[in-house]
Coordinates of all heavy atoms in Angstrom, one line a residue:
R176 N -27.2 -32.4 51.6 CA -26.7 -31.1 52.0 C -25.2 -31.3 52.5 O -24.9 -32.2 53.2 CB -27.5 -30.5 53.2 CG -28.9 -30.2 52.9 CD -29.1 -29.1 51.9 NE -30.5 -28.7 51.7 CZ -30.9 -27.9 50.8 NH1 -30.1 -27.4 49.9 NH2 -32.2 -27.7 50.7
F177 N -24.4 -30.4 52.0 CA -22.9 -30.5 52.3 C -22.7 -30.5 53.9 O -21.9 -31.1 54.4 CB -22.2 -29.4 51.6 CG -20.7 -29.5 51.8 CD1 -19.9 -30.4 51.0 CD2 -20.0 -28.7 52.7 CE1 -18.6 -30.5 51.1 CE2 -18.6 -28.8 52.8 CZ -17.9 -29.6 52.0
S178 N -23.5 -29.6 54.5 CA -23.4 -29.4 56.0 C -23.8 -30.7 56.8 O -23.4 -30.8 57.9 CB -24.3 -28.3 56.4 OG -25.7 -28.5 56.1
E179 N -24.5 -31.6 56.1 CA -24.9 -32.8 56.8 C -24.0 -34.0 56.6 O -24.2 -35.1 57.1 CB -26.3 -33.2 56.4 CG -27.4 -32.1 56.7 CD -28.7 -32.4 56.1 OE1 -28.8 -33.4 55.3 OE2 -29.6 -31.6 56.4
M180 N -22.9 -33.8 55.8 CA -22.0 -34.9 55.5 C -20.9 -35.1 56.5 O -20.6 -34.1 57.3 CB -21.3 -34.6 54.1 CG -22.2 -34.5 52.9 SD -21.3 -34.2 51.4 CE -22.7 -33.8 50.3
S181 N -20.4 -36.3 56.6 CA -19.2 -36.5 57.4 C -18.0 -35.8 56.8 O -18.0 -35.4 55.7 CB -18.9 -38.0 57.5 OG -18.5 -38.5 56.3
D182 N -16.9 -35.8 57.6 CA -15.7 -35.2 57.1 C -15.1 -35.9 55.9 O -14.7 -35.2 54.9 CB -14.6 -35.1 58.2 CG -14.9 -34.1 59.3 OD1 -15.5 -33.1 59.0 OD2 -14.5 -34.3 60.4
G183 N -15.2 -37.2 55.9 CA -14.7 -38.0 54.7 C -15.6 -37.7 53.5 O -15.0 -37.6 52.4
Q184 N -16.9 -37.6 53.7 CA -17.8 -37.4 52.5 C -17.5 -36.0 52.0 O -17.5 -35.7 50.8 CB -19.2 -37.5 53.0 CG -19.6 -39.0 53.2 CD -20.9 -39.1 53.9 OE1 -21.4 -38.2 54.6 NE2 -21.6 -40.3 53.7
R185 N -17.3 -35.0 52.9 CA -17.0 -33.6 52.4 C -15.7 -33.6 51.6 O -15.7 -32.9 50.6 CB -16.9 -32.7 53.6 CG -18.2 -32.4 54.4 CD -17.9 -31.4 55.5 NE -19.2 -31.1 56.2 CZ -19.3 -29.9 56.9 NH1 -18.4 -29.0 56.9 NH2 -20.5 -29.7 57.5
Q186 N -14.7 -34.3 52.1 CA -13.5 -34.4 51.3 C -13.6 -34.9 49.9 O -13.0 -34.4 49.0 CB -12.5 -35.2 52.1 CG -11.0 -35.0 51.7 CD -10.4 -33.7 52.2 OE1 -11.1 -32.8 52.7 NE2 -9.1 -33.6 52.1
R187 N -14.5 -35.9 49.8 CA -14.8 -36.5 48.5 C -15.5 -35.4 47.5 O -15.1 -35.3 46.4 CB -15.6 -37.7 48.6 CG -15.7 -38.6 47.4 CD -16.2 -40.0 47.8 NE -15.3 -40.7 48.6 CZ -14.4 -41.6 48.1 NH1 -14.4 -41.8 46.8 NH2 -13.7 -42.3 48.9
I188 N -16.4 -34.7 48.1 CA -17.1 -33.7 47.3 C -16.1 -32.5 46.9 O -16.2 -32.0 45.8 CB -18.3 -33.1 48.1 CG1 -19.4 -34.2 48.1 CG2 -18.9 -31.9 47.4 CD1 -19.9 -34.7 46.8
L189 N -15.3 -32.1 47.8 CA -14.3 -31.1 47.5 C -13.3 -31.5 46.5 O -12.9 -30.7 45.6 CB -13.6 -30.6 48.8 CG -14.5 -29.9 49.9 CD1 -13.6 -29.7 51.1 CD2 -15.0 -28.6 49.3
L190 N -13.0 -32.8 46.5 CA -12.1 -33.3 45.4 C -12.9 -33.3 44.1 O -12.3 -32.9 43.0 CB -11.7 -34.7 45.7 CG -10.8 -35.4 44.7 CD1 -9.6 -34.6 44.4 CD2 -10.4 -36.8 45.2
A191 N -14.2 -33.6 44.1 CA -15.0 -33.5 42.9 C -15.0 -32.1 42.4 O -14.9 -31.9 41.2 CB -16.4 -34.0 43.2
R192 N -15.2 -31.1 43.2 CA -15.2 -29.7 42.8 C -13.9 -29.4 42.1 O -13.8 -28.7 41.1 CB -15.4 -28.8 44.0 CG -15.4 -27.3 43.7 CD -15.4 -26.4 44.9 NE -14.2 -26.6 45.7 CZ -13.9 -25.9 46.8 NH1 -14.8 -25.0 47.3 NH2 -12.8 -26.0 47.4
A193 N -12.7 -29.8 42.7 CA -11.4 -29.5 42.1 C -11.3 -30.2 40.7 O -10.8 -29.5 39.8 CB -10.3 -30.0 43.1
L194 N -11.8 -31.4 40.6 CA -11.6 -32.1 39.3 C -12.6 -31.5 38.2 O -12.2 -31.5 37.1 CB -11.9 -33.6 39.5 CG -10.8 -34.3 40.3 CD1 -11.2 -35.7 40.6 CD2 -9.4 -34.2 39.7
V195 N -13.7 -31.1 38.7 CA -14.7 -30.4 37.7 C -14.0 -29.2 37.1 O -14.4 -28.8 36.0 CB -16.0 -30.1 38.4 CG1 -16.8 -29.1 37.7 CG2 -16.8 -31.4 38.6
Q196 N -13.1 -28.6 37.9 CA -12.4 -27.4 37.4 C -11.5 -27.7 36.2 O -11.1 -26.8 35.5 CB -11.6 -26.8 38.6 CG -11.0 -25.5 38.4 CD -10.4 -25.0 39.7 OE1 -10.9 -25.2 40.8 NE2 -9.2 -24.4 39.5
Q197 N -11.2 -29.0 36.0 CA -10.3 -29.4 34.9 C -9.0 -28.7 34.9 O -8.5 -28.1 33.9 CB -11.0 -29.3 33.6 CG -12.2 -30.2 33.4 CD -12.8 -30.1 32.0 OE1 -13.2 -29.0 31.5 NE2 -13.0 -31.3 31.4
P198 N -8.3 -28.8 36.1 CA -7.0 -28.0 36.2 C -5.8 -28.8 35.6 O -5.9 -30.0 35.3 CB -6.8 -28.0 37.7 CG -7.4 -29.3 38.2 CD -8.6 -29.5 37.3
E199 N -4.8 -28.0 35.3 CA -3.5 -28.7 35.0 C -2.8 -29.2 36.2 O -2.0 -30.2 36.2 CB -2.6 -27.7 34.3 CG -3.1 -27.1 33.0 CD -2.2 -26.0 32.5 OE1 -1.0 -26.2 32.5 OE2 -2.7 -24.9 32.1
L200 N -3.0 -28.5 37.3 CA -2.3 -28.8 38.6 C -3.3 -28.9 39.7 O -4.2 -28.1 39.9 CB -1.3 -27.6 38.9 CG -0.7 -27.6 40.3 CD1 0.3 -28.8 40.4 CD2 0.1 -26.3 40.6
L201 N -3.2 -30.0 40.4 CA -4.0 -30.3 41.6 C -3.2 -30.4 42.8 O -2.3 -31.3 42.9 CB -4.8 -31.6 41.4 CG -5.7 -32.0 42.5 CD1 -6.8 -31.0 42.9 CD2 -6.4 -33.4 42.1
L202 N -3.4 -29.6 43.8 CA -2.7 -29.5 45.1 C -3.6 -29.9 46.2 O -4.7 -29.4 46.4 CB -2.1 -28.1 45.3 CG -1.2 -27.5 44.3 CD1 -1.0 -26.1 44.5 CD2 0.2 -28.3 44.3
L203 N -3.2 -30.9 47.0 CA -4.0 -31.4 48.1 C -3.2 -31.5 49.4 O -2.1 -32.0 49.4 CB -4.5 -32.8 47.8 CG -5.3 -33.0 46.5 CD1 -4.3 -33.6 45.4 CD2 -6.5 -33.9 46.6
D204 N -3.7 -30.9 50.5 CA -3.0 -30.9 51.7 C -3.7 -31.9 52.6 O -4.8 -31.8 53.1 CB -3.1 -29.5 52.4 CG -2.2 -29.4 53.6 OD1 -1.3 -30.2 53.8 OD2 -2.4 -28.4 54.4
E205 N -3.0 -33.0 52.9 CA -3.5 -34.1 53.7 C -4.9 -34.6 53.3 O -5.8 -34.6 54.1 CB -3.5 -33.7 55.2 CG -2.2 -33.4 55.8 CD -1.3 -34.6 56.0 OE1 -1.8 -35.7 55.9 OE2 -0.1 -34.5 56.3
P206 N -5.0 -35.0 52.0 CA -6.4 -35.4 51.6 C -7.0 -36.6 52.2 O -8.2 -36.8 52.2 CB -6.1 -35.7 50.1 CG -4.7 -36.1 50.0 CD -4.0 -35.2 51.0
S207 N -6.1 -37.5 52.9 CA -6.7 -38.7 53.5 C -6.8 -38.5 55.0 O -7.1 -39.5 55.7 CB -5.7 -39.9 53.2 OG -4.4 -39.6 53.8
A208 N -6.8 -37.3 55.5 CA -6.8 -37.1 56.9 C -8.0 -37.6 57.6 O -8.0 -38.0 58.8 CB -6.6 -35.6 57.2
F209 N -9.2 -37.6 56.9 CA -10.4 -38.0 57.5 C -10.9 -39.3 57.1 O -12.1 -39.7 57.2 CB -11.5 -36.9 57.3 CG -11.2 -35.5 57.7 CD1 -11.0 -34.5 56.8 CD2 -10.9 -35.3 59.1 CE1 -10.7 -33.2 57.3 CE2 -10.6 -34.0 59.5 CZ -10.5 -33.0 58.6
L210 N -10.0 -40.1 56.4 CA -10.5 -41.4 55.8 C -9.9 -42.5 56.6 O -8.8 -42.4 57.2 CB -10.0 -41.4 54.4 CG -10.4 -40.3 53.4 CD1 -9.8 -40.5 52.1 CD2 -11.9 -40.2 53.4
D211 N -10.6 -43.7 56.6 CA -10.1 -44.9 57.2 C -9.1 -45.5 56.3 O -8.8 -45.1 55.2 CB -11.2 -45.8 57.6 CG -12.0 -46.3 56.4 OD1 -11.5 -46.3 55.3 OD2 -13.2 -46.6 56.5
V212 N -8.4 -46.6 56.8 CA -7.3 -47.2 56.1 C -7.6 -47.6 54.7 O -6.9 -47.2 53.7 CB -6.7 -48.4 56.9 CG1 -5.6 -49.0 56.1 CG2 -6.2 -47.9 58.3
G213 N -8.7 -48.3 54.5 CA -9.0 -48.8 53.1 C -9.3 -47.6 52.2 O -8.9 -47.6 51.0
A214 N -10.0 -46.6 52.7 CA -10.4 -45.5 51.9 C -9.1 -44.7 51.5 O -9.1 -44.0 50.4 CB -11.4 -44.6 52.6
R215 N -8.1 -44.7 52.3 CA -6.9 -44.0 52.0 C -6.2 -44.6 50.8 O -5.7 -43.9 49.9 CB -5.9 -44.0 53.2 CG -6.4 -43.1 54.3 CD -5.6 -43.3 55.6 NE -6.2 -42.6 56.7 CZ -5.7 -42.6 57.9 NH1 -4.6 -43.3 58.2 NH2 -6.3 -42.0 58.9
V216 N -6.1 -45.9 50.8 CA -5.6 -46.6 49.6 C -6.4 -46.4 48.4 O -5.9 -46.1 47.3 CB -5.5 -48.1 49.9 CG1 -5.0 -48.9 48.7 CG2 -4.6 -48.4 51.1
D217 N -7.7 -46.4 48.5 CA -8.6 -46.2 47.4 C -8.4 -44.8 46.8 O -8.3 -44.6 45.6 CB -10.1 -46.3 47.8 CG -10.5 -47.7 48.1 OD1 -9.7 -48.7 47.7 OD2 -11.5 -48.0 48.7
L218 N -8.2 -43.8 47.7 CA -8.0 -42.4 47.3 C -6.7 -42.3 46.5 O -6.7 -41.6 45.4 CB -8.0 -41.5 48.5 CG -7.8 -40.0 48.1 CD1 -8.8 -39.4 47.2 CD2 -7.6 -39.1 49.4

C-alpha cells in the first residue's frame, strides 16, 4: 500500500509513475529530499 511506504519509497513510486507516462520532459522538485546520501547518488 502506498500509504504504508516511507517517504523515500513513495518518491521512488512517484518517479515510476512519471516514467510510465513516457514523457518528453520530466520535471522534479527536490527529488532526493527524503533519501540518504548513497540513495541520492544512485538516483
